[in-house]
């Protein structure tokens, strides 16, 4: 049996001998294919990583290395490069990304449940923000989560699909909501809107990061901030009245504290002044009493040495003090009989009476 010839087949179809031009291009076709294959290998020999990305290199499907931004080289065909954005992403909770129902769910859940999940994913309601606090009150809580990919290899193996972070957002949403619901149930409403707000945010970030580390998904939560913690709209008027009462109470307490801080220093200054005056009076009285005692002891010692002289001196000193304290003085002669002689010591002597001494106290004939 004769062998098949492509040229003979082409000549028979055209009805004539083979063309010389076709015969010239046939040897070039293998070289052209080889050139295209070589060009493909050269183009697949290098890759570029953007500044906000990191690349994961897989060799025969297994992890090889993680490369930083810049120009890098790889083995064509053998190596596969998957790029991951490592910039920071934001997530507003508790709404998060819309929930998708998996294709196999309709056979496992009822149609009513599937429709409710679909409505919740397409039309997020404010009721999703409601959480039960530790004192059995209801609070509307909203917060934001800032996250980024810290381990690209773990991230890609956990969430397949280059450039799609939807699965990561859904996981982060579920974890963050679970953690926040648990923490809100541990605190009262007043603590959440007051001193414990920052502590709750810090504890939520740490607990969320711990759960994500257990999943080994390569995600790092960089920040978690509480946006608003308010009562539901149905009880907001009552809450506003209670809040106004609390503010009035705090205002009165502040005024009382201000008055207290003003009066206490004044009272302490007055107390110190009275204490110093009492101490001065005590020292002065003690010194006077000590001086009087020393004077009496001196007189007593003098009396022991010369009783008569001391007695007379004390009598004269006492009479001198007595006369000094009396304004009008009258001297009476005890030996005179009859008319009472008077001598006014408060008036200056009369010249007439001085020349006639018998005029004073002279009795009538």
């Amino acid at each position: 049996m004769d062998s098949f010839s492509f040229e003979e087949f082409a000549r028979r179809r055209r009805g004539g001998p083979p063309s010389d031009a076709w015969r010239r291009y046939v040897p070039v076709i293998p070289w052209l294919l080889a050139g295209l294959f070589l060009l493909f290998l050269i183009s697949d020999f290098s890759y570029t990583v953007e500044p906000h990305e990191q690349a994961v290199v897989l060799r025969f499907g297994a992890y090889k290395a993680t490369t930083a931004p810049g120009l890098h080289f790889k083995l064509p065909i053998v190596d596969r490069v998957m790029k991951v954005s490592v910039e920071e992403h934001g997530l507003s909770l508790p709404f998060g990304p819309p929930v998708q129902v998996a294709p196999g769910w309709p056979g496992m859940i009822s149609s009513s449940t599937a429709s409710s999940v679909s409505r919740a994913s397409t039309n997020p309601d404010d009721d999703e923000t409601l959480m039960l606090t530790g004192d059995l009150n209801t609070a509307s809580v909203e917060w934001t989560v800032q996250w980024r990919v810290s381990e690209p290899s773990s991230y890609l193996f956990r969430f397949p699909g280059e450039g799609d972070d939807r699965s990561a957002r859904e996981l982060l949403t579920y974890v963050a909501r679970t953690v926040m619901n648990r923490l809100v149930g541990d605190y009262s409403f007043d603590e959440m809107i007051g001193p414990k707000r920052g502590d709750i945010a810090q504890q939520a970030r740490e607990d969320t990061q711990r759960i994500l580390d257990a999943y080994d998904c390569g995600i790092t939560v960089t920040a978690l901030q509480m946006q608003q913690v308010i009562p539901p709209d149905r009880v907001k008027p009552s809450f506003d009245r209670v809040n106004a009462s609390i503010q009035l109470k705090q205002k009165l307490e502040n005024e009382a504290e201000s008055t207290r801080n003003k009066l206490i220093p004044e009272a302490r200054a007055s107390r110190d002044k009275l204490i110093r005056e009492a101490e001065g009076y005590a020292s002065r009285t003690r010194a006077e009493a000590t001086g009087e005692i020393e004077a009496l002891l001196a007189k007593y010692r003098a009396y022991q040495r010369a009783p008569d002289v001391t007695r007379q001196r004390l009598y004269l000193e006492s009479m001198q003090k007595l006369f000094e304290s009396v304004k009008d003085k009258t001297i009476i002669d005890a030996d005179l009989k009859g008319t009472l002689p008077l001598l006014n010591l408060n008036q200056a002597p009369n010249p007439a009476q001085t020349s006639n001494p018998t005029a004073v106290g002279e009795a009538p004939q």
Side-chain angles (χ1 to χ4, degrees):
M1 185 177 184
D2 296 338
S3 61
F4 177 78
S5 174
F6 179 77
E7 295 180 359
E8 184 66 21
F9 175 76
R11 183 182 62 80
R12 290 178 181 178
R13 285 182 60 87
R14 290 195 302 269
S19 173
D20 295 338
W22 175 260
R23 196 174 290 174
R24 251 190 341 263
Y25 286 117
V26 169
V28 181
I29 294 176
W31 293 101
L32 182 61
L33 295 177
L36 292 176
F37 182 72
L38 182 61
L39 183 62
F40 168 75
L41 294 180
I42 294 175
S43 63
D44 196 41
F45 186 70
S46 63
Y47 62 95
T48 302
V49 182
E50 299 297 331
H52 64 279
E53 297 177 336
Q54 287 188 6
V56 177
V57 180
L58 304 179
R59 179 165 296 175
F60 296 109
Y63 173 75
K64 174 62 178 176
T66 301
T67 58
L71 179 64
H72 302 275
F73 300 95
K74 67 182 183 70
L75 296 179
I77 301 176
V78 176
D79 292 344
R80 179 188 176 189
V81 177
M82 302 179 67
K83 300 177 183 179
V84 180
S85 174
V86 293
E87 60 184 351
E88 194 171 80
H89 305 274
L91 190 61
S92 179
L93 297 173
F95 299 111
V99 180
Q100 288 185 338
V101 180
W105 282 18
M108 295 182 289
I109 61 175
S110 62
S111 59
S112 60
T113 305
S115 61
S116 64
V117 172
S118 177
R119 287 195 304 269
S121 62
T122 56
N123 298 319
D125 193 358
D126 290 340
D127 289 343
E128 293 187 17
T129 65
L130 299 182
M131 297 183 183
L132 189 64
T133 61
D135 53 355
L136 302 182
N137 288 322
T138 305
S140 177
V141 183
E142 295 183 15
W143 71 101
T144 58
V145 177
Q146 302 293 327
W147 63 279
R148 64 180 181 86
V149 178
S150 57
E151 294 292 337
S153 58
S154 301
Y155 178 82
L156 288 176
F157 285 118
R158 181 62 63 182
F159 307 108
E162 184 179 1
D164 185 12
D165 59 352
R166 186 178 187 86
S167 299
R169 288 177 177 270
E170 291 181 357
L171 174 63
L172 187 58
T173 299
Y174 299 147
V175 172
R177 292 185 63 172
T178 301
V179 171
M180 187 59 68
N181 274 281
R182 178 178 60 81
L183 289 177
V184 169
D186 293 339
Y187 294 92
S188 65
F189 185 83
D190 293 336
E191 291 176 335
M192 291 185 58
I193 63 175
K196 297 296 184 179
R197 183 167 180 166
D199 297 339
I200 293 175
Q202 179 66 22
Q203 187 65 33
R205 190 191 71 82
E206 294 176 357
D207 292 350
T208 303
Q209 185 63 58
R210 184 171 60 252
I211 296 176
L212 293 176
D213 292 341
Y215 286 145
D216 191 22
C217 57
I219 295 177
T220 298
V221 178
T222 58
L224 189 149
Q225 295 180 351
M226 305 291 291
Q227 294 300 316
Q228 66 175 6
V229 181
I230 58 176
D233 294 337
R234 293 186 292 270
V235 298
K236 198 173 188 314
S238 301
F239 176 80
D240 291 339
R241 289 193 295 269
V242 173
N243 194 25
S245 302
I246 294 175
Q247 292 178 356
L248 179 60
K249 171 189 173 184
Q250 294 176 350
K251 178 182 177 181
L252 295 177
E253 289 178 351
N254 294 334
E255 292 178 354
E257 186 68 19
S258 177
T259 304
R260 175 180 177 271
N261 295 334
K262 179 180 179 181
L263 294 179
I264 286 180
E266 295 178 355
R268 289 176 178 174
S270 178
R271 179 199 64 183
D272 296 339
K273 179 181 178 182
L274 293 176
I275 291 175
R276 288 193 297 268
E277 291 178 355
E279 291 175 350
Y281 176 77
S283 301
R284 184 172 63 256
T285 304
R286 190 181 299 109
E288 293 175 356
T290 302
E292 292 178 358
I293 291 173
E294 293 295 336
L296 290 176
L297 291 177
K299 291 178 181 179
Y300 176 71
R301 288 190 292 268
Y303 180 81
Q304 286 180 338
R305 290 193 298 270
D308 296 335
V309 176
T310 303
R311 186 183 300 110
Q312 185 178 3
R313 182 171 63 82
L314 293 175
Y315 173 75
L316 294 176
E317 291 176 356
S318 300
M319 293 303 294
Q320 181 179 359
K321 293 180 180 179
L322 179 62
F323 285 146
E324 290 176 353
S325 63
V326 177
K327 182 177 180 182
D328 298 332
K329 307 175 186 65
T330 302
I331 299 178
I332 303 175
D333 189 359
D335 296 335
L336 184 62
K337 302 294 184 180
T339 303
L340 180 64
L342 298 176
L343 177 60
N344 190 357
L345 299 179
N346 296 324
Q347 295 180 356
N350 192 352
Q353 293 179 352
T354 304
S355 61
N356 189 9
T358 60
V360 180
E362 183 178 358
Q365 297 298 327

